[in-house]
Amino acid sequence: MLAQRMLASNPKLIDAAVELHQLGALPANSFLFDLDVVAENARMQAAEAGRLGLTTYLMTKQIARNPLVTKVALANGIDKTVAVDVQCARMLSRYEIPIGHIGQINQIPKHQIDWVVAQHPDVITVYSLQAAEWISAAAAKIGRLQHVLVRVWDEGDVFFDGQEGGFRAEAFVEAVRDIDALPNLVVVGATSFPAMEYSFDAARFPVQPLPNFATVRTALEQARAELGLELPVLNAPGNTSVATMQTMKDAGATQIEPGHGLCGTTIPQMMFGSEHERPAYCYVSEISHHFRDYAYAFGGGIWALLGPLFKTWEWTAFVGTTPEAARANPVSYAHIDQVMDYVLPLKPADRCRIGDTVAFPVYAQAQMSRAYTVAVSGVQSDHPIIEGIFDHAATMLDEQLVPLPVEMARERIDHAVTRINL
């Protein structure tokens, strides 16, 4: 699916992957991000969100919080970021990247709340009165008025296992009353995750609101009526792209959180294509060895493919030592169960030579991997330049893959973003 989309709409990224890897500039086990297309996609999303009056917070976990990719997106119109957890927030703050939202999927450990509040996030989501009390105390220490969202749920809502939490709908009004009364806190709205679901039926619109969306909307309406509060924010994360923003707005959203959508790799974008965002990254590796019917490439970046859904889909990599050879040589990902993805198994083995580049368009969760993330400019003008290599913890590395001092990294990143956006 994604390989076909890549060939059709961004084949130059495959070419750049092969060229840079064969030159020795791009290490195996890397996610390669096309900054030209990231900027293009960001501009499209910002324009549509602006038309609809939606605030955009970039979900950076899928891109392993890569600061170059993030800053290019922000420079092209995305408002701020969402930190999926406090570790994410610390990686972003290292590069002075503004945080719009934190607390949605993971609450903040109590001894790190002071630091989080001091970063001045737009909103913090709370699941409990205790968490709100800690945030209140932290905000009071620095004289800050902190906006919070209250997470709400009801029977029939849909959650990913382990990502449940919040106040039951019947307790929402009382929770909002108690939290809003705390010093230095203002409840501005509510949220749930996920708010949208994919349809795998091409006859239907690819994304529809989940019951969670109605739960949040109803809870807010009731609280406004009973408490007389404005509660203007309905935060609706998940499955966001240009094609879905109108549906989200119509359902009541005010804040949206594009992640894969920015990179052109949401599932509807892969399945049905898009006239808007293009695929902006691929995984790059190298053939290591052969065993029986498989060619094995170096692994480390394919964690998401270990899930059961991905075992049933066909995934294609391009293998070769020149762009022309690789594009003409699509091979199949051949899933094997691994506790860790030490290798990327490919078939047929006889079309993969040791040392060949593997350019693999794949649905990433790069924060769960050991892969490097590499940002490249100039792909679309056929002059690819690596602007930055980062390890799995978003630490910028030099050409020898040695960590750079953070001050030097910030300077290099900001210089690259300025030059790219001139």
Side-chain angles (χ1 to χ4, degrees):
M1 290 184 303
L2 187 52
Q4 294 169 349
R5 279 278 295 143
M6 184 76 74
L7 272 181
S9 62
N10 194 6
K12 291 184 177 183
L13 184 56
I14 298 170
D15 297 350
V18 177
E19 290 174 2
L20 293 169
H21 173 257
Q22 288 297 319
L23 286 171
L26 176 63
N29 185 34
S30 292
F31 284 103
L32 184 65
F33 290 90
D34 181 345
L35 294 176
D36 301 346
V37 174
V38 168
E40 172 189 301
N41 291 348
R43 288 192 293 271
M44 292 182 194
Q45 292 196 338
E48 180 66 357
R51 182 183 74 84
L52 297 170
L54 297 170
T55 298
T56 50
Y57 293 145
L58 176 62
M59 173 57 79
T60 61
K61 68 182 178 68
Q62 295 95 333
I63 62 174
R65 297 96 180 196
N66 184 290
L68 247 173
V69 177
T70 302
K71 286 199 169 187
V72 165
L74 298 184
N76 284 277
I78 300 299
D79 292 309
K80 291 186 181 179
T81 63
V82 53
V84 74
D85 52 29
V86 71
Q87 290 90 339
C88 180
R90 288 187 178 275
M91 292 179 199
L92 295 170
S93 69
R94 185 193 312 168
Y95 299 104
E96 301 177 329
I97 293 171
I99 297 166
H101 181 199
I102 185 171
Q104 167 59 270
I105 297 179
N106 285 277
Q107 294 283 272
I108 305 162
K110 62 183 179 180
H111 293 300
Q112 299 197 55
I113 287 175
D114 283 359
W115 179 85
V116 167
V117 172
Q119 305 313 302
H120 292 193
D122 289 353
V123 289
I124 300 175
T125 289
V126 295
Y127 292 9
S128 65
L129 181 59
Q130 178 64 82
E133 289 172 344
W134 286 334
I135 294 167
S136 169
K141 287 179 187 177
I142 61 173
R144 172 170 170 76
L145 187 64
Q146 178 63 57
H147 290 181
V148 296
L149 301 175
V150 177
R151 191 167 181 186
V152 60
W153 67 276
D154 205 354
E155 296 298 335
D157 287 353
V158 177
F159 300 101
F160 297 116
D161 290 343
Q163 296 182 16
E164 308 91 347
F167 293 89
R168 193 161 186 162
E170 62 194 32
F172 178 78
V173 173
E174 182 180 354
V176 170
R177 179 189 292 112
D178 292 344
I179 293 169
D180 194 68
L182 292 171
N184 296 81
L185 288 195
V186 176
V187 178
V188 294
T191 186
S192 181
F193 177 79
M196 306 286 287
E197 68 174 340
Y198 296 118
S199 168
F200 295 94
D201 180 358
R204 296 177 58 205
F205 190 73
V207 175
Q208 297 289 339
L210 283 163
N212 310 40
F213 219 132
T215 295
V216 177
R217 189 171 57 242
T218 301
L220 285 172
E221 290 169 354
Q222 183 179 0
R224 290 175 189 132
E226 295 189 25
L227 302 177
L229 299 175
E230 291 187 19
L231 304 176
V233 176
L234 195 160
N235 175 271
N239 307 336
T240 303
S241 67
V242 171
T244 66
M245 288 183 190
Q246 184 69 62
T247 300
M248 302 174 85
K249 173 69 173 181
D250 292 345
T254 65
Q255 292 178 351
I256 55 174
E257 300 184 350
H260 273 290
L262 177 77
C263 295
T265 50
T266 65
I267 292 174
Q269 287 168 327
M270 288 192 290
M271 291 183 66
F272 307 128
S274 172
E275 62 187 38
H276 305 294
E277 302 97 334
R278 293 194 283 159
Y281 69 86
C282 70
Y283 181 66
V284 184
S285 192
E286 174 185 325
I287 299 298
S288 164
H289 62 283
H290 296 83
F291 182 72
R292 293 181 176 162
D293 296 331
Y294 297 123
Y296 285 164
F298 296 99
I302 58 168
W303 179 88
L305 294 191
L306 302 183
L309 178 63
F310 294 90
K311 296 179 185 180
T312 65
W313 290 1
E314 293 184 4
W315 296 88
T316 300
F318 301 97
V319 178
T321 55
T322 68
E324 297 76 16
R327 277 206 252 166
N329 187 33
V331 301
S332 297
Y333 168 73
H335 181 84
I336 57 175
D337 289 327
Q338 304 176 72
V339 175
M340 298 176 68
D341 61 321
Y342 286 117
V343 296
L344 176 68
L346 301 169
K347 293 181 71 172
D350 60 4
R351 292 194 355 228
C352 305
R353 296 175 301 177
I354 293 173
D356 278 0
T357 301
V358 177
F360 188 24
V362 65
Y363 183 82
Q365 289 286 341
Q367 87 282 7
M368 298 301 298
S369 77
R370 308 183 306 283
Y372 300 104
T373 60
V374 182
V376 59
S377 67
V379 170
Q380 299 306 307
S381 59
D382 299 315
H383 296 289
I385 299 172
I386 289 178
E387 301 287 357
I389 301 175
F390 302 82
D391 68 13
H392 66 281
T395 302
M396 195 174 194
L397 311 175
D398 67 13
E399 292 75 10
Q400 303 303 316
L401 305 182
V402 175
L404 290 169
V406 68
E407 294 81 7
M408 183 181 296
R410 287 176 184 160
E411 183 177 344
R412 287 192 182 188
I413 290 167
D414 290 343
H415 177 72
V417 172
T418 300
R419 181 168 45 76
I420 290 165
N421 286 284
L422 286 177

mmCIF file of all heavy atoms in Angstrom, residues 246-283:
data_model
loop_
_atom_site.group_PDB
_atom_site.id
_atom_site.type_symbol
_atom_site.label_atom_id
_atom_site.label_comp_id
_atom_site.label_asym_id
_atom_site.label_seq_id
_atom_site.Cartn_x
_atom_site.Cartn_y
_atom_site.Cartn_z
ATOM 1 N N GLN A 246 -12.585 18.791 8.239
ATOM 2 C CA GLN A 246 -13.956 19.286 8.184
ATOM 3 C C GLN A 246 -14.885 18.404 9.002
ATOM 4 O O GLN A 246 -15.761 18.904 9.730
ATOM 5 C CB GLN A 246 -14.447 19.358 6.741
ATOM 6 C CG GLN A 246 -15.850 19.956 6.590
ATOM 7 C CD GLN A 246 -15.897 21.439 6.905
ATOM 8 O OE1 GLN A 246 -15.255 22.252 6.235
ATOM 9 N NE2 GLN A 246 -16.660 21.818 7.925
ATOM 10 N N THR A 247 -14.707 17.082 8.911
ATOM 11 C CA THR A 247 -15.522 16.153 9.702
ATOM 12 C C THR A 247 -15.309 16.395 11.189
ATOM 13 O O THR A 247 -16.265 16.397 11.980
ATOM 14 C CB THR A 247 -15.161 14.700 9.357
ATOM 15 O OG1 THR A 247 -15.413 14.479 7.974
ATOM 16 C CG2 THR A 247 -15.970 13.711 10.180
ATOM 17 N N MET A 248 -14.073 16.629 11.586
ATOM 18 C CA MET A 248 -13.768 16.875 12.990
ATOM 19 C C MET A 248 -14.372 18.193 13.461
ATOM 20 O O MET A 248 -14.929 18.278 14.563
ATOM 21 C CB MET A 248 -12.248 16.839 13.198
ATOM 22 C CG MET A 248 -11.620 15.525 12.767
ATOM 23 S SD MET A 248 -9.823 15.502 12.842
ATOM 24 C CE MET A 248 -9.576 15.053 14.558
ATOM 25 N N LYS A 249 -14.276 19.213 12.620
ATOM 26 C CA LYS A 249 -14.877 20.503 12.963
ATOM 27 C C LYS A 249 -16.391 20.363 13.103
ATOM 28 O O LYS A 249 -16.986 20.884 14.062
ATOM 29 C CB LYS A 249 -14.536 21.520 11.879
ATOM 30 C CG LYS A 249 -15.235 22.862 12.026
ATOM 31 C CD LYS A 249 -14.722 23.647 13.218
ATOM 32 C CE LYS A 249 -15.312 25.043 13.246
ATOM 33 N NZ LYS A 249 -14.808 25.838 14.389
ATOM 34 N N ASP A 250 -17.017 19.669 12.171
ATOM 35 C CA ASP A 250 -18.471 19.499 12.210
ATOM 36 C C ASP A 250 -18.923 18.751 13.466
ATOM 37 O O ASP A 250 -20.042 18.962 13.950
ATOM 38 C CB ASP A 250 -18.945 18.751 10.966
ATOM 39 C CG ASP A 250 -18.784 19.572 9.693
ATOM 40 O OD1 ASP A 250 -18.577 20.793 9.793
ATOM 41 O OD2 ASP A 250 -18.836 18.971 8.596
ATOM 42 N N ALA A 251 -18.044 17.876 13.974
ATOM 43 C CA ALA A 251 -18.377 17.123 15.183
ATOM 44 C C ALA A 251 -18.101 17.906 16.459
ATOM 45 O O ALA A 251 -18.411 17.423 17.555
ATOM 46 C CB ALA A 251 -17.600 15.804 15.206
ATOM 47 N N GLY A 252 -17.505 19.098 16.322
ATOM 48 C CA GLY A 252 -17.319 19.957 17.485
ATOM 49 C C GLY A 252 -15.891 20.213 17.907
ATOM 50 O O GLY A 252 -15.655 20.915 18.896
ATOM 51 N N ALA A 253 -14.913 19.674 17.195
ATOM 52 C CA ALA A 253 -13.515 19.830 17.598
ATOM 53 C C ALA A 253 -13.068 21.286 17.517
ATOM 54 O O ALA A 253 -13.486 22.032 16.626
ATOM 55 C CB ALA A 253 -12.615 18.973 16.724
ATOM 56 N N THR A 254 -12.208 21.674 18.447
ATOM 57 C CA THR A 254 -11.521 22.967 18.372
ATOM 58 C C THR A 254 -10.004 22.785 18.334
ATOM 59 O O THR A 254 -9.299 23.653 17.835
ATOM 60 C CB THR A 254 -11.877 23.865 19.574
ATOM 61 O OG1 THR A 254 -11.379 23.276 20.785
ATOM 62 C CG2 THR A 254 -13.381 24.069 19.676
ATOM 63 N N GLN A 255 -9.513 21.685 18.900
ATOM 64 C CA GLN A 255 -8.084 21.366 18.861
ATOM 65 C C GLN A 255 -7.901 20.007 18.200
ATOM 66 O O GLN A 255 -8.608 19.045 18.528
ATOM 67 C CB GLN A 255 -7.482 21.302 20.269
ATOM 68 C CG GLN A 255 -7.414 22.625 20.992
ATOM 69 C CD GLN A 255 -6.860 22.478 22.397
ATOM 70 O OE1 GLN A 255 -6.664 21.358 22.906
ATOM 71 N NE2 GLN A 255 -6.602 23.603 23.058
ATOM 72 N N ILE A 256 -6.934 19.911 17.278
ATOM 73 C CA ILE A 256 -6.638 18.643 16.613
ATOM 74 C C ILE A 256 -5.137 18.384 16.700
ATOM 75 O O ILE A 256 -4.348 19.312 16.905
ATOM 76 C CB ILE A 256 -7.098 18.659 15.145
ATOM 77 C CG1 ILE A 256 -6.475 19.848 14.392
ATOM 78 C CG2 ILE A 256 -8.631 18.713 15.075
ATOM 79 C CD1 ILE A 256 -6.764 19.851 12.908
ATOM 80 N N GLU A 257 -4.750 17.117 16.528
ATOM 81 C CA GLU A 257 -3.366 16.742 16.791
ATOM 82 C C GLU A 257 -2.817 15.857 15.670
ATOM 83 O O GLU A 257 -2.720 14.635 15.817
ATOM 84 C CB GLU A 257 -3.267 16.066 18.155
ATOM 85 C CG GLU A 257 -3.732 16.989 19.278
ATOM 86 C CD GLU A 257 -3.575 16.426 20.676
ATOM 87 O OE1 GLU A 257 -3.275 15.217 20.798
ATOM 88 O OE2 GLU A 257 -3.757 17.190 21.639
ATOM 89 N N PRO A 258 -2.446 16.458 14.539
ATOM 90 C CA PRO A 258 -1.898 15.653 13.447
ATOM 91 C C PRO A 258 -0.585 14.997 13.825
ATOM 92 O O PRO A 258 0.259 15.612 14.483
ATOM 93 C CB PRO A 258 -1.708 16.673 12.322
ATOM 94 C CG PRO A 258 -1.603 17.998 13.016
ATOM 95 C CD PRO A 258 -2.480 17.886 14.226
ATOM 96 N N GLY A 259 -0.407 13.768 13.425
ATOM 97 C CA GLY A 259 0.841 13.048 13.633
ATOM 98 C C GLY A 259 1.246 12.409 12.321
ATOM 99 O O GLY A 259 1.943 13.000 11.509
ATOM 100 N N HIS A 260 0.747 11.182 12.110
ATOM 101 C CA HIS A 260 0.998 10.533 10.823
ATOM 102 C C HIS A 260 0.441 11.352 9.669
ATOM 103 O O HIS A 260 0.983 11.312 8.556
ATOM 104 C CB HIS A 260 0.374 9.134 10.811
ATOM 105 C CG HIS A 260 1.288 8.080 11.362
ATOM 106 N ND1 HIS A 260 2.416 7.671 10.699
ATOM 107 C CD2 HIS A 260 1.244 7.369 12.511
ATOM 108 C CE1 HIS A 260 3.036 6.744 11.416
ATOM 109 N NE2 HIS A 260 2.347 6.550 12.517
ATOM 110 N N GLY A 261 -0.622 12.101 9.918
ATOM 111 C CA GLY A 261 -1.197 12.908 8.845
ATOM 112 C C GLY A 261 -0.193 13.882 8.263
ATOM 113 O O GLY A 261 -0.171 14.117 7.047
ATOM 114 N N LEU A 262 0.653 14.476 9.115
ATOM 115 C CA LEU A 262 1.666 15.394 8.628
ATOM 116 C C LEU A 262 2.633 14.680 7.691
ATOM 117 O O LEU A 262 3.148 15.276 6.748
ATOM 118 C CB LEU A 262 2.449 16.001 9.796
ATOM 119 C CG LEU A 262 3.599 16.925 9.375
ATOM 120 C CD1 LEU A 262 3.074 18.282 8.931
ATOM 121 C CD2 LEU A 262 4.624 17.078 10.485
ATOM 122 N N CYS A 263 2.869 13.408 7.948
ATOM 123 C CA CYS A 263 3.837 12.641 7.162
ATOM 124 C C CYS A 263 3.192 11.889 6.005
ATOM 125 O O CYS A 263 3.868 11.140 5.296
ATOM 126 C CB CYS A 263 4.564 11.655 8.068
ATOM 127 S SG CYS A 263 5.583 12.453 9.330
ATOM 128 N N GLY A 264 1.878 12.065 5.811
ATOM 129 C CA GLY A 264 1.202 11.404 4.703
ATOM 130 C C GLY A 264 1.052 9.913 4.876
ATOM 131 O O GLY A 264 0.924 9.184 3.886
ATOM 132 N N THR A 265 1.027 9.436 6.133
ATOM 133 C CA THR A 265 1.006 7.992 6.367
ATOM 134 C C THR A 265 -0.102 7.554 7.317
ATOM 135 O O THR A 265 0.046 6.562 8.031
ATOM 136 C CB THR A 265 2.367 7.515 6.912
ATOM 137 O OG1 THR A 265 2.769 8.352 8.016
ATOM 138 C CG2 THR A 265 3.429 7.571 5.834
ATOM 139 N N THR A 266 -1.216 8.310 7.369
ATOM 140 C CA THR A 266 -2.374 7.739 8.051
ATOM 141 C C THR A 266 -2.875 6.561 7.230
ATOM 142 O O THR A 266 -2.610 6.442 6.022
ATOM 143 C CB THR A 266 -3.514 8.754 8.214
ATOM 144 O OG1 THR A 266 -4.000 9.114 6.920
ATOM 145 C CG2 THR A 266 -3.065 9.995 8.963
ATOM 146 N N ILE A 267 -3.616 5.686 7.852
ATOM 147 C CA ILE A 267 -4.081 4.488 7.142
ATOM 148 C C ILE A 267 -4.980 4.847 5.957
ATOM 149 O O ILE A 267 -4.822 4.285 4.863
ATOM 150 C CB ILE A 267 -4.759 3.518 8.124
ATOM 151 C CG1 ILE A 267 -3.685 2.950 9.079
ATOM 152 C CG2 ILE A 267 -5.458 2.382 7.381
ATOM 153 C CD1 ILE A 267 -4.211 2.096 10.185
ATOM 154 N N PRO A 268 -5.923 5.800 6.079
ATOM 155 C CA PRO A 268 -6.684 6.169 4.884
ATOM 156 C C PRO A 268 -5.818 6.749 3.773
ATOM 157 O O PRO A 268 -6.065 6.498 2.597
ATOM 158 C CB PRO A 268 -7.678 7.217 5.407
ATOM 159 C CG PRO A 268 -7.819 6.922 6.842
ATOM 160 C CD PRO A 268 -6.461 6.460 7.286
ATOM 161 N N GLN A 269 -4.800 7.527 4.154
ATOM 162 C CA GLN A 269 -3.913 8.068 3.130
ATOM 163 C C GLN A 269 -3.193 6.949 2.389
ATOM 164 O O GLN A 269 -2.986 7.014 1.181
ATOM 165 C CB GLN A 269 -2.895 9.026 3.758
ATOM 166 C CG GLN A 269 -3.481 10.361 4.182
ATOM 167 C CD GLN A 269 -2.531 11.150 5.049
ATOM 168 O OE1 GLN A 269 -1.761 10.596 5.830
ATOM 169 N NE2 GLN A 269 -2.574 12.471 4.929
ATOM 170 N N MET A 270 -2.813 5.898 3.128
ATOM 171 C CA MET A 270 -2.135 4.776 2.495
ATOM 172 C C MET A 270 -3.092 3.961 1.634
ATOM 173 O O MET A 270 -2.760 3.529 0.535
ATOM 174 C CB MET A 270 -1.511 3.871 3.564
ATOM 175 C CG MET A 270 -0.297 4.459 4.246
ATOM 176 S SD MET A 270 0.590 3.236 5.225
ATOM 177 C CE MET A 270 -0.558 2.954 6.572
ATOM 178 N N MET A 271 -4.315 3.743 2.147
ATOM 179 C CA MET A 271 -5.246 2.860 1.461
ATOM 180 C C MET A 271 -5.917 3.521 0.270
ATOM 181 O O MET A 271 -6.077 2.903 -0.784
ATOM 182 C CB MET A 271 -6.324 2.368 2.435
ATOM 183 C CG MET A 271 -5.822 1.428 3.498
ATOM 184 S SD MET A 271 -7.173 0.825 4.532
ATOM 185 C CE MET A 271 -8.122 -0.154 3.373
ATOM 186 N N PHE A 272 -6.323 4.779 0.453
ATOM 187 C CA PHE A 272 -7.155 5.422 -0.555
ATOM 188 C C PHE A 272 -6.444 6.548 -1.289
ATOM 189 O O PHE A 272 -6.990 7.133 -2.216
ATOM 190 C CB PHE A 272 -8.431 5.981 0.102
ATOM 191 C CG PHE A 272 -9.172 4.960 0.906
ATOM 192 C CD1 PHE A 272 -9.537 5.220 2.212
ATOM 193 C CD2 PHE A 272 -9.503 3.731 0.360
ATOM 194 C CE1 PHE A 272 -10.229 4.277 2.964
ATOM 195 C CE2 PHE A 272 -10.190 2.785 1.099
ATOM 196 C CZ PHE A 272 -10.556 3.050 2.396
ATOM 197 N N GLY A 273 -5.226 6.870 -0.851
ATOM 198 C CA GLY A 273 -4.529 7.980 -1.464
ATOM 199 C C GLY A 273 -5.049 9.308 -0.943
ATOM 200 O O GLY A 273 -5.981 9.381 -0.157
ATOM 201 N N SER A 274 -4.413 10.383 -1.378
ATOM 202 C CA SER A 274 -4.819 11.713 -0.934
ATOM 203 C C SER A 274 -4.362 12.722 -1.962
ATOM 204 O O SER A 274 -3.262 12.610 -2.512
ATOM 205 C CB SER A 274 -4.212 12.038 0.431
ATOM 206 O OG SER A 274 -4.447 13.381 0.774
ATOM 207 N N GLU A 275 -5.201 13.692 -2.205
ATOM 208 C CA GLU A 275 -4.787 14.792 -3.078
ATOM 209 C C GLU A 275 -4.053 15.858 -2.281
ATOM 210 O O GLU A 275 -3.646 16.883 -2.824
ATOM 211 C CB GLU A 275 -6.014 15.415 -3.744
ATOM 212 C CG GLU A 275 -6.994 16.030 -2.766
ATOM 213 C CD GLU A 275 -8.278 16.476 -3.429
ATOM 214 O OE1 GLU A 275 -8.751 15.779 -4.331
ATOM 215 O OE2 GLU A 275 -8.790 17.528 -3.018
ATOM 216 N N HIS A 276 -3.877 15.610 -1.001
ATOM 217 C CA HIS A 276 -3.264 16.596 -0.116
ATOM 218 C C HIS A 276 -1.865 16.135 0.300
ATOM 219 O O HIS A 276 -0.936 16.217 -0.487
ATOM 220 C CB HIS A 276 -4.169 16.836 1.089
ATOM 221 C CG HIS A 276 -5.559 17.226 0.724
ATOM 222 N ND1 HIS A 276 -5.853 18.406 0.091
ATOM 223 C CD2 HIS A 276 -6.750 16.582 0.891
ATOM 224 C CE1 HIS A 276 -7.157 18.486 -0.119
ATOM 225 N NE2 HIS A 276 -7.716 17.392 0.359
ATOM 226 N N GLU A 277 -1.705 15.621 1.519
ATOM 227 C CA GLU A 277 -0.386 15.291 2.033
ATOM 228 C C GLU A 277 0.248 14.116 1.265
ATOM 229 O O GLU A 277 -0.427 13.173 0.869
ATOM 230 C CB GLU A 277 -0.454 14.917 3.517
ATOM 231 C CG GLU A 277 -1.032 16.004 4.401
ATOM 232 C CD GLU A 277 -2.502 15.809 4.690
ATOM 233 O OE1 GLU A 277 -3.192 15.156 3.851
ATOM 234 O OE2 GLU A 277 -2.972 16.293 5.724
ATOM 235 N N ARG A 278 1.569 14.216 1.110
ATOM 236 C CA ARG A 278 2.337 13.147 0.469
ATOM 237 C C ARG A 278 3.172 12.413 1.512
ATOM 238 O O ARG A 278 3.536 12.998 2.543
ATOM 239 C CB ARG A 278 3.271 13.723 -0.598
ATOM 240 C CG ARG A 278 2.573 14.321 -1.792
ATOM 241 C CD ARG A 278 3.580 14.550 -2.915
ATOM 242 N NE ARG A 278 4.414 15.724 -2.706
ATOM 243 C CZ ARG A 278 5.611 15.904 -3.306
ATOM 244 N NH1 ARG A 278 6.090 14.971 -4.106
ATOM 245 N NH2 ARG A 278 6.297 17.013 -3.094
ATOM 246 N N PRO A 279 3.553 11.149 1.260
ATOM 247 C CA PRO A 279 4.447 10.446 2.195
ATOM 248 C C PRO A 279 5.769 11.193 2.329
ATOM 249 O O PRO A 279 6.385 11.576 1.331
ATOM 250 C CB PRO A 279 4.641 9.079 1.538
ATOM 251 C CG PRO A 279 3.451 8.900 0.655
ATOM 252 C CD PRO A 279 3.110 10.278 0.165
ATOM 253 N N ALA A 280 6.191 11.399 3.571
ATOM 254 C CA ALA A 280 7.346 12.251 3.835
ATOM 255 C C ALA A 280 8.511 11.506 4.476
ATOM 256 O O ALA A 280 9.523 12.141 4.804
ATOM 257 C CB ALA A 280 6.936 13.421 4.736
ATOM 258 N N TYR A 281 8.429 10.197 4.660
ATOM 259 C CA TYR A 281 9.556 9.464 5.245
ATOM 260 C C TYR A 281 9.536 8.028 4.774
ATOM 261 O O TYR A 281 8.517 7.505 4.307
ATOM 262 C CB TYR A 281 9.518 9.497 6.781
ATOM 263 C CG TYR A 281 8.383 8.700 7.372
ATOM 264 C CD1 TYR A 281 8.507 7.332 7.610
ATOM 265 C CD2 TYR A 281 7.178 9.306 7.695
ATOM 266 C CE1 TYR A 281 7.464 6.596 8.141
ATOM 267 C CE2 TYR A 281 6.130 8.577 8.226
ATOM 268 C CZ TYR A 281 6.281 7.221 8.446
ATOM 269 O OH TYR A 281 5.240 6.496 8.960
ATOM 270 N N CYS A 282 10.693 7.389 4.892
ATOM 271 C CA CYS A 282 10.762 5.938 4.718
ATOM 272 C C CYS A 282 11.863 5.403 5.626
ATOM 273 O O CYS A 282 12.745 6.147 6.072
ATOM 274 C CB CYS A 282 10.993 5.538 3.263
ATOM 275 S SG CYS A 282 12.625 5.920 2.611
ATOM 276 N N TYR A 283 11.796 4.112 5.892
ATOM 277 C CA TYR A 283 12.806 3.434 6.699
ATOM 278 C C TYR A 283 13.909 2.955 5.767
ATOM 279 O O TYR A 283 13.640 2.465 4.668
ATOM 280 C CB TYR A 283 12.174 2.261 7.439
ATOM 281 C CG TYR A 283 13.118 1.488 8.318
ATOM 282 C CD1 TYR A 283 13.687 2.073 9.441
ATOM 283 C CD2 TYR A 283 13.435 0.158 8.031
ATOM 284 C CE1 TYR A 283 14.548 1.363 10.260
ATOM 285 C CE2 TYR A 283 14.287 -0.570 8.853
ATOM 286 C CZ TYR A 283 14.849 0.033 9.958
ATOM 287 O OH TYR A 283 15.699 -0.672 10.765
#
